[in-house]
Amino acid sequence: MSAQRIGVIGSGLIGRSFSMLFASAGYTVVVYDVLPAQLEAAKKDIWLQLNALEGQGLLRGKLSKEQQFESISTTQSIEDCVKGSFFIQECVPEVLDLKRKVWSQVDKLISPDAIMSSSTSALLPSAISEGLVNKNRFIISHPTNPPFYAPATEVVPAPWTDPDVVERTVSLLKEVGQVPVLIKKEVPGFVLNRIQYAIMGECYRLIRDGVVSPSDCDLIMSQGLGVRYAFMGPWETGYLNAEGMYSYRDRYADMILGIQESFGPPERMDGPTLDLIQEDISRVAGPVENIAVRRQWRDKRLIALAKLKQDL
Ligand code: NAD
Protein backbone atom coordinates (compact mmCIF):
# COMPACT_ATOMS: atom_id res chain seq x y z
CA MET A 1 0.00 0.00 0.00
CA SER A 2 1.69 3.19 -1.18
CA ALA A 3 0.15 5.30 1.59
CA GLN A 4 2.22 3.33 4.11
CA ARG A 5 5.58 3.98 2.48
CA ILE A 6 8.15 6.58 3.55
CA GLY A 7 11.37 7.42 1.71
CA VAL A 8 14.51 8.48 3.59
CA ILE A 9 17.33 10.11 1.61
CA GLY A 10 20.80 9.83 3.20
CA SER A 11 21.69 6.99 5.56
CA GLY A 12 24.00 8.78 8.01
CA LEU A 13 23.35 9.55 11.66
CA ILE A 14 19.99 11.31 11.18
CA GLY A 15 18.74 9.18 8.26
CA ARG A 16 19.19 6.09 10.44
CA SER A 17 17.27 7.65 13.33
CA PHE A 18 14.36 8.76 11.14
CA SER A 19 14.22 5.32 9.50
CA MET A 20 13.90 3.66 12.92
CA LEU A 21 11.30 6.18 14.08
CA PHE A 22 9.08 5.64 11.03
CA ALA A 23 9.51 1.84 11.21
CA SER A 24 8.48 1.89 14.88
CA ALA A 25 4.98 3.03 13.85
CA GLY A 26 4.64 0.32 11.19
CA TYR A 27 5.63 2.28 8.07
CA THR A 28 7.60 0.65 5.28
CA VAL A 29 10.81 2.67 5.00
CA VAL A 30 12.99 2.78 1.89
CA VAL A 31 16.38 4.39 2.49
CA TYR A 32 18.45 5.77 -0.38
CA ASP A 33 22.11 6.81 -0.32
CA VAL A 34 24.70 7.56 -2.99
CA LEU A 35 27.25 5.40 -1.15
CA PRO A 36 26.46 1.66 -1.08
CA ALA A 37 28.90 1.21 1.84
CA GLN A 38 26.89 3.72 3.88
CA LEU A 39 23.71 1.74 3.27
CA GLU A 40 25.44 -1.44 4.43
CA ALA A 41 26.77 0.31 7.53
CA ALA A 42 23.34 1.83 8.19
CA LYS A 43 21.58 -1.57 8.23
CA LYS A 44 24.16 -2.97 10.67
CA ASP A 45 24.01 0.09 12.89
CA ILE A 46 20.18 0.20 12.88
CA TRP A 47 20.11 -3.43 14.07
CA LEU A 48 22.56 -2.62 16.89
CA GLN A 49 20.56 0.48 17.85
CA LEU A 50 17.25 -1.41 17.89
CA ASN A 51 18.83 -4.02 20.16
CA ALA A 52 20.19 -1.30 22.46
CA LEU A 53 16.80 0.49 22.59
CA GLU A 54 15.06 -2.76 23.47
CA GLY A 55 17.65 -3.40 26.22
CA GLN A 56 17.02 0.09 27.62
CA GLY A 57 13.23 -0.36 27.52
CA LEU A 58 13.05 2.53 25.03
CA LEU A 59 12.00 0.68 21.86
CA ARG A 60 9.09 2.67 20.42
CA GLY A 61 5.78 1.34 19.11
CA LYS A 62 4.15 -2.04 19.42
CA LEU A 63 6.23 -3.97 16.89
CA SER A 64 9.18 -6.19 17.84
CA LYS A 65 12.69 -5.05 16.95
CA GLU A 66 12.76 -7.77 14.25
CA GLN A 67 9.54 -6.46 12.67
CA GLN A 68 10.85 -2.89 12.79
CA PHE A 69 14.14 -3.95 11.22
CA GLU A 70 12.38 -5.84 8.43
CA SER A 71 10.32 -2.76 7.58
CA ILE A 72 13.49 -0.89 6.57
CA SER A 73 15.01 -1.61 3.16
CA THR A 74 17.78 0.16 1.28
CA THR A 75 18.15 1.21 -2.33
CA GLN A 76 20.71 2.83 -4.59
CA SER A 77 17.95 4.32 -6.74
CA ILE A 78 16.36 7.62 -5.75
CA GLU A 79 13.37 6.68 -7.87
CA ASP A 80 12.76 3.51 -5.82
CA CYS A 81 12.96 5.58 -2.66
CA VAL A 82 10.63 8.36 -3.74
CA LYS A 83 8.02 6.78 -6.03
CA GLY A 84 5.02 5.59 -4.06
CA SER A 85 6.20 7.26 -0.83
CA PHE A 86 3.76 9.68 0.79
CA PHE A 87 6.49 11.32 2.89
CA ILE A 88 10.16 11.90 2.01
CA GLN A 89 12.65 12.76 4.76
CA GLU A 90 15.92 14.12 3.37
CA CYS A 91 19.01 13.69 5.55
CA VAL A 92 21.97 14.59 3.29
CA PRO A 93 24.87 16.79 4.49
CA GLU A 94 24.23 20.42 5.43
CA VAL A 95 25.21 21.99 2.07
CA LEU A 96 22.63 24.22 0.37
CA ASP A 97 23.60 23.33 -3.22
CA LEU A 98 23.54 19.61 -2.44
CA LYS A 99 20.13 19.82 -0.79
CA ARG A 100 18.76 21.84 -3.73
CA LYS A 101 20.15 19.28 -6.18
CA VAL A 102 18.63 16.34 -4.30
CA TRP A 103 15.24 18.06 -3.96
CA SER A 104 15.15 19.00 -7.65
CA GLN A 105 15.54 15.28 -8.43
CA VAL A 106 12.79 14.38 -5.95
CA ASP A 107 10.55 17.14 -7.32
CA LYS A 108 10.34 15.31 -10.66
CA LEU A 109 9.45 11.97 -9.05
CA ILE A 110 6.93 12.63 -6.29
CA SER A 111 3.17 12.48 -6.45
CA PRO A 112 1.66 15.97 -6.01
CA ASP A 113 0.16 15.21 -2.59
CA ALA A 114 3.36 13.76 -1.08
CA ILE A 115 5.33 15.71 1.55
CA MET A 116 8.95 16.75 1.08
CA SER A 117 10.64 17.16 4.46
CA SER A 118 14.26 18.16 5.16
CA SER A 119 16.27 17.52 8.34
CA THR A 120 18.35 20.68 7.89
CA SER A 121 19.65 22.23 11.10
CA ALA A 122 20.02 25.77 9.82
CA LEU A 123 19.18 26.27 6.14
CA LEU A 124 15.96 28.19 5.59
CA PRO A 125 13.07 26.27 4.00
CA SER A 126 12.57 29.05 1.42
CA ALA A 127 16.25 28.86 0.38
CA ILE A 128 16.10 25.09 -0.21
CA SER A 129 12.70 24.96 -1.90
CA GLU A 130 12.33 28.23 -3.88
CA GLY A 131 13.03 26.64 -7.30
CA LEU A 132 10.84 23.56 -6.87
CA VAL A 133 7.66 22.95 -8.86
CA ASN A 134 6.09 21.36 -5.75
CA LYS A 135 7.49 23.93 -3.29
CA ASN A 136 4.07 24.13 -1.61
CA ARG A 137 4.72 20.53 -0.39
CA PHE A 138 8.07 21.42 1.27
CA ILE A 139 8.73 21.64 5.01
CA ILE A 140 11.55 21.19 7.51
CA SER A 141 11.48 18.59 10.30
CA HIS A 142 14.60 19.37 12.32
CA PRO A 143 15.25 16.76 15.03
CA THR A 144 17.26 17.24 18.17
CA ASN A 145 20.14 14.77 18.33
CA PRO A 146 19.86 11.99 19.47
CA PRO A 147 16.18 11.91 18.40
CA PHE A 148 15.28 8.81 20.45
CA TYR A 149 16.38 10.47 23.70
CA ALA A 150 15.58 14.14 22.90
CA PRO A 151 12.29 13.99 20.98
CA ALA A 152 11.65 17.72 20.26
CA THR A 153 11.51 18.23 16.48
CA GLU A 154 11.20 21.71 14.99
CA VAL A 155 8.67 21.83 12.15
CA VAL A 156 9.40 24.83 9.93
CA PRO A 157 7.22 25.65 6.91
CA ALA A 158 8.34 27.92 4.08
CA PRO A 159 6.09 30.94 3.38
CA TRP A 160 4.43 28.93 0.55
CA THR A 161 3.96 25.59 2.36
CA ASP A 162 0.38 24.26 2.19
CA PRO A 163 -1.39 24.13 5.59
CA ASP A 164 -2.18 20.42 5.18
CA VAL A 165 1.58 19.70 4.85
CA VAL A 166 2.14 21.32 8.24
CA GLU A 167 -0.74 19.42 9.85
CA ARG A 168 0.20 16.05 8.39
CA THR A 169 3.88 16.45 9.30
CA VAL A 170 3.03 17.36 12.89
CA SER A 171 0.66 14.43 13.11
CA LEU A 172 3.18 11.93 11.63
CA LEU A 173 5.89 13.07 14.06
CA LYS A 174 3.49 12.68 16.99
CA GLU A 175 2.50 9.25 15.76
CA VAL A 176 6.14 8.04 15.85
CA GLY A 177 6.61 9.40 19.39
CA GLN A 178 8.44 12.66 18.63
CA VAL A 179 7.42 16.01 20.11
CA PRO A 180 6.88 18.31 17.11
CA VAL A 181 7.16 22.04 17.76
CA LEU A 182 5.73 24.33 15.09
CA ILE A 183 7.95 27.27 14.17
CA LYS A 184 5.45 29.70 12.65
CA LYS A 185 7.90 31.78 10.59
CA GLU A 186 11.32 30.89 9.23
CA VAL A 187 14.22 32.65 11.01
CA PRO A 188 17.94 31.77 10.96
CA GLY A 189 18.68 29.05 13.55
CA PHE A 190 14.95 28.34 13.98
CA VAL A 191 14.27 28.36 17.75
CA LEU A 192 16.41 25.66 19.36
CA ASN A 193 19.69 26.98 18.01
CA ARG A 194 18.75 30.63 18.62
CA ILE A 195 18.20 29.82 22.29
CA GLN A 196 21.33 27.67 22.42
CA TYR A 197 23.48 30.40 20.86
CA ALA A 198 21.98 33.10 23.10
CA ILE A 199 23.06 31.05 26.14
CA MET A 200 26.47 30.42 24.61
CA GLY A 201 26.93 34.13 23.84
CA GLU A 202 26.26 35.26 27.41
CA CYS A 203 28.38 32.42 28.86
CA TYR A 204 31.24 33.51 26.58
CA ARG A 205 31.04 37.16 27.70
CA LEU A 206 30.95 36.14 31.38
CA ILE A 207 34.07 33.99 30.95
CA ARG A 208 35.85 36.66 28.86
CA ASP A 209 35.12 39.29 31.53
CA GLY A 210 36.50 37.07 34.32
CA VAL A 211 33.14 36.64 36.09
CA VAL A 212 33.16 32.84 36.11
CA SER A 213 35.39 30.00 34.95
CA PRO A 214 34.23 27.88 31.96
CA SER A 215 33.72 24.74 34.07
CA ASP A 216 31.82 26.65 36.78
CA CYS A 217 29.66 28.23 34.07
CA ASP A 218 28.81 24.70 32.88
CA LEU A 219 27.92 23.74 36.48
CA ILE A 220 25.35 26.55 36.58
CA MET A 221 23.66 24.82 33.64
CA SER A 222 24.12 21.14 34.57
CA GLN A 223 23.41 21.50 38.31
CA GLY A 224 21.10 24.52 38.19
CA LEU A 225 19.12 25.75 35.20
CA GLY A 226 19.46 22.49 33.26
CA VAL A 227 17.89 20.43 36.05
CA ARG A 228 14.67 22.43 35.77
CA TYR A 229 14.90 22.73 32.01
CA ALA A 230 14.80 18.93 31.68
CA PHE A 231 11.13 19.24 32.66
CA MET A 232 9.94 22.78 31.88
CA GLY A 233 10.99 25.88 29.97
CA PRO A 234 11.70 29.44 31.16
CA TRP A 235 8.04 30.53 30.94
CA GLU A 236 6.60 27.79 33.13
CA THR A 237 9.57 28.31 35.48
CA GLY A 238 8.57 31.99 35.80
CA TYR A 239 4.89 31.16 36.20
CA LEU A 240 5.62 28.75 39.05
CA ASN A 241 8.21 31.02 40.69
CA ALA A 242 5.47 33.65 41.23
CA GLU A 243 1.68 33.50 41.15
CA GLY A 244 1.49 33.30 37.35
CA MET A 245 2.96 35.63 34.73
CA TYR A 246 1.49 38.96 35.88
CA SER A 247 2.82 38.45 39.37
CA TYR A 248 6.18 37.39 37.87
CA ARG A 249 6.21 40.68 35.89
CA ASP A 250 5.39 42.77 38.94
CA ARG A 251 8.17 41.16 40.94
CA TYR A 252 10.93 40.71 38.38
CA ALA A 253 10.35 42.46 35.01
CA ASP A 254 12.35 45.63 35.84
CA MET A 255 15.28 43.65 37.21
CA ILE A 256 15.24 41.30 34.20
CA LEU A 257 15.20 44.21 31.75
CA GLY A 258 18.07 45.95 33.58
CA ILE A 259 20.22 42.83 33.40
CA GLN A 260 19.29 42.15 29.75
CA GLU A 261 20.32 45.74 28.91
CA SER A 262 23.77 45.04 30.36
CA PHE A 263 24.41 42.16 27.93
CA GLY A 264 27.21 43.04 25.51
CA PRO A 265 27.20 42.65 21.71
CA PRO A 266 27.91 39.21 20.21
CA GLU A 267 31.52 38.25 19.66
CA ARG A 268 33.03 35.43 17.57
CA MET A 269 34.57 32.83 19.89
CA ASP A 270 38.36 32.81 19.51
CA GLY A 271 41.69 33.88 21.04
CA PRO A 272 42.56 33.76 24.76
CA THR A 273 38.93 33.25 25.90
CA LEU A 274 38.61 30.18 23.70
CA ASP A 275 42.03 28.92 24.91
CA LEU A 276 40.77 29.25 28.49
CA ILE A 277 37.56 27.33 27.69
CA GLN A 278 39.45 24.55 25.89
CA GLU A 279 41.93 24.16 28.74
CA ASP A 280 39.38 24.19 31.56
CA ILE A 281 36.79 21.94 29.86
CA SER A 282 39.48 19.42 28.86
CA ARG A 283 40.16 18.99 32.60
CA VAL A 284 36.51 18.01 33.11
CA ALA A 285 35.81 16.10 29.89
CA GLY A 286 39.29 14.58 29.41
CA PRO A 287 41.72 15.08 26.54
CA VAL A 288 40.37 15.19 22.98
CA GLU A 289 42.19 11.88 22.21
CA ASN A 290 39.87 10.15 24.73
CA ILE A 291 36.71 11.98 23.76
CA ALA A 292 34.89 8.70 22.98
CA VAL A 293 34.98 7.77 26.67
CA ARG A 294 33.28 11.00 27.71
CA ARG A 295 30.73 10.64 24.89
CA GLN A 296 29.79 7.23 26.31
CA TRP A 297 29.44 8.86 29.75
CA ARG A 298 27.13 11.51 28.21
CA ASP A 299 25.05 8.97 26.27
CA LYS A 300 24.54 6.82 29.38
CA ARG A 301 23.10 9.83 31.19
CA LEU A 302 20.92 10.91 28.27
CA ILE A 303 19.48 7.38 28.13
CA ALA A 304 18.83 7.31 31.89
CA LEU A 305 17.09 10.70 31.71
CA ALA A 306 14.96 9.64 28.70
CA LYS A 307 13.93 6.53 30.64
CA LEU A 308 13.06 8.57 33.72
CA LYS A 309 10.99 11.01 31.66
CA GLN A 310 9.19 8.12 29.95
CA ASP A 311 8.40 6.45 33.28
CA LEU A 312 7.29 9.57 35.18
P1 NAD B 1 25.84 12.37 7.84
O1 NAD B 1 27.06 12.93 7.22
O2 NAD B 1 25.94 11.43 9.00
O3 NAD B 1 24.99 11.60 6.70
C1 NAD B 1 24.73 12.15 5.45
C2 NAD B 1 24.44 10.99 4.47
O4 NAD B 1 24.00 11.53 3.23
C3 NAD B 1 25.65 10.11 4.16
O5 NAD B 1 25.32 8.74 4.34
C4 NAD B 1 25.96 10.42 2.70
O6 NAD B 1 26.53 9.32 2.00
C5 NAD B 1 24.58 10.75 2.18
N1 NAD B 1 24.55 11.54 0.96
C6 NAD B 1 25.42 12.49 0.55
N2 NAD B 1 25.03 12.99 -0.64
C7 NAD B 1 23.88 12.33 -0.97
C8 NAD B 1 23.01 12.39 -2.09
N3 NAD B 1 23.22 13.23 -3.10
N4 NAD B 1 21.95 11.56 -2.10
C9 NAD B 1 21.71 10.70 -1.10
N5 NAD B 1 22.51 10.60 -0.01
C10 NAD B 1 23.59 11.41 0.03
O7 NAD B 1 24.93 13.62 8.20
P2 NAD B 1 23.84 13.74 9.39
O8 NAD B 1 24.53 14.09 10.66
O9 NAD B 1 22.95 12.55 9.34
O10 NAD B 1 23.05 15.06 8.94
C11 NAD B 1 22.07 15.02 7.91
C12 NAD B 1 21.22 16.28 8.01
O11 NAD B 1 20.59 16.30 9.29
C13 NAD B 1 22.01 17.58 7.88
O12 NAD B 1 21.23 18.53 7.20
C14 NAD B 1 22.19 18.00 9.33
O13 NAD B 1 22.36 19.40 9.49
C15 NAD B 1 20.88 17.54 9.93
N6 NAD B 1 20.91 17.33 11.39
C16 NAD B 1 22.01 16.77 11.96
C17 NAD B 1 22.03 16.60 13.35
C18 NAD B 1 23.24 15.98 14.02
O14 NAD B 1 23.40 16.15 15.23
N7 NAD B 1 24.08 15.24 13.29
C19 NAD B 1 20.94 16.99 14.13
C20 NAD B 1 19.80 17.52 13.50
C21 NAD B 1 19.80 17.68 12.11
Side-chain angles (χ1 to χ4, degrees):
M1 279 207 319
S2 64
Q4 296 302 312
R5 210 175 115 118
I6 295 183
V8 171
I9 302 181
S11 63
L13 190 71
I14 296 301
R16 295 171 196 188
S17 296
F18 267 119
S19 300
M20 291 191 293
L21 288 169
F22 296 137
S24 76
Y27 290 104
T28 297
V29 182
V30 183
V31 191
Y32 160 72
D33 200 299
V34 276
L35 298 179
Q38 271 291 89
L39 290 172
E40 275 299 304
K43 282 292 272 187
K44 288 191 184 129
D45 183 38
I46 286 173
W47 179 241
L48 291 176
Q49 289 197 56
L50 288 171
N51 276 286
L53 287 166
E54 185 189 56
Q56 292 148 10
L58 290 170
L59 193 66
R60 294 210 189 153
K62 295 192 174 73
L63 301 173
S64 69
K65 66 179 180 205
E66 287 84 5
Q67 287 170 315
Q68 298 191 22
F69 186 67
E70 280 160 19
S71 312
I72 303 171
S73 63
T74 58
T75 179
Q76 289 169 49
S77 150
I78 192 165
E79 194 168 342
D80 277 354
C81 170
V82 172
K83 279 209 162 166
S85 294
F86 75 95
F87 192 91
I88 319 293
Q89 183 69 36
E90 165 271 304
C91 313
V92 306
E94 189 76 348
V95 178
L96 179 59
D97 284 347
L98 175 63
K99 294 213 187 257
R100 280 185 172 155
K101 193 182 109 197
V102 168
W103 281 116
S104 75
Q105 290 173 273
V106 176
D107 200 26
K108 297 185 184 81
L109 298 167
I110 58 157
S111 51
D113 62 343
I115 293 175
M116 315 201 276
S117 167
S118 173
S119 307
T120 181
S121 309
L123 300 168
L124 293 181
S126 57
I128 302 178
S129 67
E130 63 188 345
L132 302 176
V133 173
N134 297 292
K135 64 181 186 178
N136 55 318
R137 311 304 297 163
F138 187 86
I139 196 154
I140 284 169
S141 306
H142 169 233
T144 313
N145 194 41
F148 270 85
Y149 309 125
T153 306
E154 293 180 297
V155 174
V156 195
W160 40 74
T161 303
D162 287 344
D164 79 287
V165 171
V166 179
E167 281 159 31
R168 287 170 63 200
T169 303
V170 165
S171 130
L172 176 66
L173 289 167
K174 278 188 189 159
E175 186 192 349
V176 302
Q178 291 301 92
V179 178
V181 178
L182 179 61
I183 309 305
K184 292 190 268 183
K185 287 184 201 176
E186 57 175 20
V187 283
F190 312 143
V191 171
L192 185 143
N193 278 324
R194 287 185 84 88
I195 295 172
Q196 176 165 238
Y197 300 155
I199 292 173
M200 220 176 226
E202 182 53 14
C203 290
Y204 186 87
R205 287 185 290 267
L206 291 167
I207 293 161
R208 178 200 62 194
D209 296 348
V211 176
V212 69
S213 74
S215 53
D216 282 351
C217 182
D218 271 10
L219 284 178
I220 296 277
M221 293 302 298
S222 64
Q223 305 300 320
L225 285 175
V227 177
R228 281 202 295 242
Y229 285 174
F231 296 93
M232 70 187 76
W235 297 119
E236 189 176 350
T237 298
Y239 191 95
L240 297 182
N241 279 355
E243 267 57 64
M245 288 320 296
Y246 299 122
S247 133
Y248 191 73
R249 170 199 58 197
D250 295 344
R251 292 189 210 177
Y252 303 115
D254 290 337
M255 178 196 71
I256 291 171
L257 181 63
I259 292 172
Q260 284 171 336
E261 283 173 344
S262 75
F263 290 169
E267 187 178 312
R268 186 174 182 275
M269 63 177 84
D270 208 351
T273 306
L274 191 64
D275 295 341
L276 181 66
I277 298 173
Q278 167 66 29
E279 193 195 328
D280 194 20
I281 298 305
S282 72
R283 275 196 287 270
V284 177
V288 173
E289 305 80 73
N290 292 342
I291 210 159
V293 175
R294 189 67 171 177
R295 284 189 182 138
Q296 279 172 6
W297 172 93
R298 173 199 64 189
D299 292 347
K300 218 171 140 187
R301 278 151 186 79
L302 286 176
I303 291 163
L305 183 61
K307 183 111 189 58
L308 174 69
K309 287 180 70 128
Q310 176 190 268
D311 296 345
L312 273 177

